[in-house]
């Protein structure tokens, strides 16, 4: 009966995650187009705001984790921040209605909505995954691993469907005399309402872990005290086995050990942003990636991993992650071999006309966003020459998955580049994501103390945020040619993978539940010992009193 209840509660959490991801990716699929065509921003400002919003979505999980583990608990944090999320979507949708106020008001509403959305989606992100893991007892490790796989599938299912549907709503439905951004943003808002309602509907079935005080603040104080104490006393006191042991005189051994557990995992995460720096440059194959994820997750869980175990090979979570990094590096290395330049020359006056530059491997480019709606055929493209002359061209098939630069100086048909050239790359990098990302989610949960589950999930999500920072520094600042940039990232990831593998070799897996039992047993023993000593002291005092009388 308890197993059935757990299964039903997990269904509510998975459906909630599907609707939330539909909401997020559906809105995000149109964001750069909205900046360019509705707010009339230039490409630089549009790109900057897009990246700022994306980065904020991965920095706010720290705030959500702090609220969940220290104050409200995961359940209430998800509900309250989901309400903030819904308000953000509504404000964003209202800002997309042309008849509502001036351009300045549209910008104000749009930016306010995006900030609220970033707070909502980032705040609940570490809580939902950890809350789902909380539904399983310590002996149900296999079931919990399956949950994280299904959870990740729901993320990609929401992403896949929303990226198809919302551009259709914007382009095919006309309102206020133009593209209907208000409806295209309104549907994700409605899905977020559905996500909130579904989550609340399962309230009676959830297993809830109450917050245990201001844990994060206590952790920071403990670390600060250990560093201060070490600085002041290390010269004349005997050395400690670990620098955190300098906090023993003020803080409990339990807290110190829990901080050691979290810090060991966070140190292990230091090389991981490089994976996301490489992976997040694949933004223009998100639909295909999401579809492949839905196919690959059951293949890995039901076929590949069982076969590996059947062969007697032990594949630990960290080994899976390292292999995922290798696959991603190989995929990006392959991208340098299939980067395609299509050059067409037209007319005899040598008036060059740069028609478009399309890259599916690079950072988000607002000029590329419009191609997400029509992924294959471009039959009616306008070219404007330097002299101001316009002409209509039929470019035929220009598939995503490659880099196109079209320069027109004479009338020749454009070349076709088939997507099949990129299929091995897609397969490799998606396989890498399955091994890396899903395993990372489950590893972050399994290695965290009970009172810091959300904090460590937030630490995992921060690797994504710092990965985007790396992209901005290298891709925006270095100014390298595309194929050199691809090769650079592939080589960097291979180097990072070697470092990570060495770190993983020395990592010792822990079982937080077993440690919890040990702490409880020790505390009971300490209480018994204290009672025993107290009784002995009383007996000794009584004996002393009698002898005094004598």
């Amino acid at each position: 009966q308890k197993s059935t209840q757990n299964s039903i509660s997990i269904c509510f959490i998975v459906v909630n995650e599907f609707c939330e991801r539909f909401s997020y990716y559906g809105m995000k699929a149109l964001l750069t187009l909205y900046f360019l065509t509705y707010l009339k921003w230039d490409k630089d400002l549009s790109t900057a705001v897009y990246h700022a919003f994306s980065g904020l979505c991965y920095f706010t999980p720290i705030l959500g984790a702090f609220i969940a583990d220290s104050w409200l608990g995961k359940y209430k944090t998800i509900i309250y921040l989901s309400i903030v999320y819904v308000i953000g979507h509504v404000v964003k949708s209202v800002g997309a209605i042309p008849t509502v106020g001036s351009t300045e008001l549209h910008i104000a509403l749009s930016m306010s909505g995006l900030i609220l959305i970033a707070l909502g989606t980032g705040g609940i992100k570490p809580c939902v995954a950890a809350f789902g893991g909380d539904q399983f007892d310590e002996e149900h490790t296999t079931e919990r691993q399956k949950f994280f796989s299904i959870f990740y599938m729901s993320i990609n299912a929401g992403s896949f469907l929303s990226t198809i549907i919302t551009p259709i709503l914007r382009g095919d439905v006309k309102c206020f005399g133009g593209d209907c951004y208000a409806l295209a943003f309104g549907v994700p808002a409605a899905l977020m309402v559905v996500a909130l309602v579904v989550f609340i509907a399962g309230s009676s079935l959830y297993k809830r872990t109450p917050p245990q005080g201001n844990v994060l603040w206590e952790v920071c104080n403990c670390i600060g005290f250990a560093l201060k104490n070490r600085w002041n006393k290390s010269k004349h006191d005997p050395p400690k086995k670990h620098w955190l042991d300098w906090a023993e005189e003020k803080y409990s051994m339990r807290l110190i050990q829990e901080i050691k557990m979290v810090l060991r995992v966070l140190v292990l995460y230091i090389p991981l942003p490089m994976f996301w720096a490489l992976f997040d440059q694949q933004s223009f194959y998100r639909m295909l990636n999401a579809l492949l994820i839905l196919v690959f997750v059951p293949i890995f869980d039901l076929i590949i991993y069982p076969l590996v175990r059947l062969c007697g090979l032990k594949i630990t979570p960290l080994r899976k992650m390292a292999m995922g990094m290798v696959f991603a590096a190989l995929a990006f290395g392959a991208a340098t071999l299939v980067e395609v330049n299509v050059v067409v020359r037209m007319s005899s006056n040598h008036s060059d006309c740069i028609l478009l530059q399309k890259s599916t491997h690079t950072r988000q480019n607002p000029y590329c966003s419009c191609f997400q709606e029509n992924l294959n055929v471009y039959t009616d493209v306008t070219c404007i020459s330097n002299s101001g002359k316009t002409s209509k061209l039929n470019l035929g098939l220009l598939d995503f998955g490659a880099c196109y630069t079209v320069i027109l100086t004479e009338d020749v048909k454009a070349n076709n580049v088939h997507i099949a050239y990129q299929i091995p790359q897609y397969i490799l990098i998606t396989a890498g994501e399955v091994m890396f990302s899903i395993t990372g989610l489950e590893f972050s949960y399994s290695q965290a103390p009970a009172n810091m589950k959300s904090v460590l999930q937030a630490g995992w999500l921060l690797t994504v945020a710092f990965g985007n920072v790396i992209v901005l520094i290298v891709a925006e600042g270095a100014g390298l040619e595309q194929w050199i940039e691809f090769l650079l990232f592939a080589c960097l990831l291979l180097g990072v993978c070697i470092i990570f593998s060495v770190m993983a070799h020395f990592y010792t897996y822990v079982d937080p539940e077993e440690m919890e039992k040990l702490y409880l047993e020790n505390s009971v023993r300490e209480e018994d010992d204290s009672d025993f000593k107290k009784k002995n002291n009383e007996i000794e005092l009584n004996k002393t009193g009698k002898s005094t009388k004598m």
Side-chain angles (χ1 to χ4, degrees):
Q1 184 180 358
K2 190 173 182 180
S3 177
T4 304
Q5 181 174 330
N6 284 346
S7 300
I8 297 173
S9 67
I10 288 303
C11 289
F12 284 102
I13 294 171
V14 168
V15 173
N16 164 269
E17 184 66 13
F18 167 81
C19 295
E20 189 274 324
R21 290 290 87 186
F22 186 108
S23 168
Y24 175 76
Y25 284 113
M27 178 276 301
K28 199 176 179 184
L30 301 174
L31 204 52
T32 48
L33 270 180
Y34 175 74
F35 293 155
L36 286 166
T37 62
Y38 185 84
L39 297 182
K40 306 299 182 184
W41 288 352
D42 59 40
K43 63 176 183 178
D44 293 332
L45 180 59
S46 300
T47 303
V49 174
Y50 179 91
H51 279 297
F53 169 72
S54 299
L56 188 60
C57 290
Y58 283 98
F59 280 108
T60 49
I62 287 292
L63 178 60
F66 173 76
I67 295 172
D69 284 347
S70 301
W71 180 25
L72 294 177
K74 301 180 189 73
Y75 174 77
K76 288 183 179 179
T77 301
I78 294 170
I79 290 179
Y80 294 156
L81 289 182
S82 292
I83 294 172
V84 173
Y85 200 162
V86 170
I87 294 171
H89 268 303
V90 172
V91 171
K92 183 79 178 64
S93 301
V94 172
I97 300 175
T99 56
V100 176
S102 61
T103 302
E104 288 74 17
L105 181 60
H106 294 160
I107 293 173
L109 290 173
S110 298
M111 294 304 100
S112 301
L114 287 177
I115 291 171
L116 292 174
I117 290 171
L119 179 61
T121 187
I124 68 173
K125 203 182 288 284
C127 303
V128 177
F131 188 70
D134 287 347
Q135 306 309 305
F136 298 91
D137 295 328
E138 57 183 273
E139 64 269 15
H140 297 149
T141 305
T142 304
E143 289 81 358
R144 190 177 65 207
Q145 290 174 348
K146 290 179 181 177
F147 158 73
F148 281 107
S149 294
I150 296 170
F151 183 81
Y152 204 75
M153 288 179 69
S154 70
I155 292 173
N156 286 275
S159 169
F160 176 72
L161 291 176
S162 66
T163 309
I164 294 175
I165 293 173
T166 51
I168 293 174
L169 294 174
R170 180 200 70 85
D172 292 357
V173 179
K174 301 297 179 183
C175 58
F176 306 105
D179 292 337
C180 202
Y181 281 107
L183 177 63
F185 288 142
V187 169
L191 262 292
M192 192 55 224
V193 174
V194 173
L196 178 57
V197 171
V198 168
F199 185 77
I200 294 175
S203 297
S204 61
L205 302 173
Y206 298 142
K207 175 185 174 183
R208 306 181 198 179
T209 304
Q212 299 181 21
N214 200 338
V215 177
L216 199 58
W217 181 253
E218 194 174 8
V219 167
C220 294
N221 285 336
C222 180
I223 292 173
F225 182 81
L227 292 172
K228 182 181 177 182
N229 217 22
R230 183 187 183 188
W231 177 264
N232 293 333
K233 297 184 177 181
S234 59
K235 294 178 181 178
H236 48 79
D237 282 11
K240 303 283 187 181
K241 190 175 181 180
H242 191 280
W243 63 269
L244 268 171
D245 293 337
W246 288 97
E248 286 177 349
E249 63 187 64
K250 185 175 180 181
Y251 294 92
S252 67
M253 282 301 300
R254 175 175 179 172
L255 178 64
I256 292 171
Q257 290 301 323
E258 287 175 342
I259 296 173
K260 287 179 183 178
M261 288 168 57
V262 171
L263 289 181
R264 285 172 64 241
V265 177
L266 291 178
V267 168
L268 199 62
Y269 285 172
I270 290 174
L272 301 189
M274 185 53 66
F275 175 90
W276 297 114
L278 182 148
F279 181 83
D280 283 350
Q281 294 185 68
Q282 303 285 328
S283 58
F284 289 98
Y285 93 114
R286 184 179 291 124
M287 273 202 307
L288 182 60
N289 169 251
L291 183 60
L292 286 174
I293 287 285
L294 297 176
V295 175
F296 277 21
V297 169
I299 290 176
F300 271 83
D301 282 352
L302 301 178
I303 300 174
I304 295 178
Y305 291 152
L307 281 177
V308 171
R309 287 192 291 268
L310 198 62
C311 294
L313 299 174
K314 186 177 181 181
I315 179 167
T316 62
L318 295 179
R319 286 178 184 171
K320 287 183 191 177
M321 293 169 68
M323 291 174 65
M325 294 168 77
V326 172
F327 283 1
L330 292 175
F332 230 63
T336 64
L337 302 177
V338 291
E339 181 184 350
V340 181
N341 288 321
V342 182
V343 179
V344 184
R345 300 193 173 277
M346 180 184 75
S347 80
S348 57
N349 60 5
H350 303 291
S351 60
D352 292 341
C353 167
I354 300 178
L355 175 65
L356 64 94
Q357 183 173 353
K358 180 185 179 193
S359 173
T360 63
H361 301 287
T362 58
R363 53 211 168 273
Q364 182 81 12
N365 185 328
Y367 282 125
C368 301
S369 299
C370 57
F371 298 115
Q372 291 181 7
E373 300 177 40
N374 303 303
L375 296 173
N376 294 319
V377 181
Y378 298 88
T379 57
D380 190 14
V381 181
T382 302
C383 171
I384 304 175
S385 67
N386 292 338
S387 61
K389 183 180 179 181
T390 61
S391 58
K392 296 287 186 180
L393 298 170
N394 183 348
L395 296 182
L397 181 66
L398 287 180
D399 285 312
F400 66 98
C403 177
Y404 299 97
T405 302
V406 181
I407 301 174
L408 302 172
T409 50
E410 64 180 354
D411 196 5
V412 190
K413 287 186 178 180
N415 296 336
N416 292 338
V417 182
H418 202 276
I419 192 174
Y421 289 109
Q422 292 290 305
I423 287 177
Q425 178 195 349
Y426 295 148
I427 291 174
L428 275 174
I429 201 164
T430 304
E433 182 188 2
V434 169
M435 300 184 75
F436 182 86
S437 192
I438 298 175
T439 307
L441 274 174
E442 201 276 329
F443 176 79
S444 299
Y445 182 88
S446 67
Q447 297 299 290
N451 57 349
M452 299 185 202
K453 297 289 187 185
S454 298
V455 169
L456 209 48
Q457 288 288 328
W460 168 255
L461 293 169
L462 273 180
T463 64
V464 183
F466 286 116
N468 280 280
V469 172
I470 293 173
V471 173
L472 287 173
I473 293 172
V474 176
E476 297 285 355
L480 301 174
E481 289 185 41
Q482 191 70 78
W483 71 271
I484 297 177
E485 191 177 307
F486 289 167
L487 192 59
L488 173 64
F489 275 106
C491 293
L492 286 174
L493 185 59
L494 278 176
V496 162
C497 182
I498 294 171
I499 296 171
F500 177 75
S501 299
V502 173
M503 295 171 69
H505 177 74
F506 293 100
Y507 181 83
T508 304
Y509 292 84
V510 296
D511 187 343
E513 284 83 7
E514 289 298 321
M515 291 188 69
E516 184 76 16
K517 284 182 179 179
L518 185 62
Y519 290 137
L520 289 174
E521 290 173 2
N522 288 339
S523 64
V524 170
R525 287 198 197 99
E526 287 173 3
E527 287 178 6
D528 291 342
D529 290 344
S530 177
D531 290 341
F532 181 73
K533 289 176 181 176
K534 187 177 179 182
K535 288 177 181 177
N536 278 347
N537 288 336
E538 289 176 355
I539 292 171
E540 291 295 328
L541 285 171
N542 288 335
K543 286 181 179 178
T544 305
K546 288 177 182 177
S547 61
T548 304
K549 282 182 181 180
M550 289 175 67

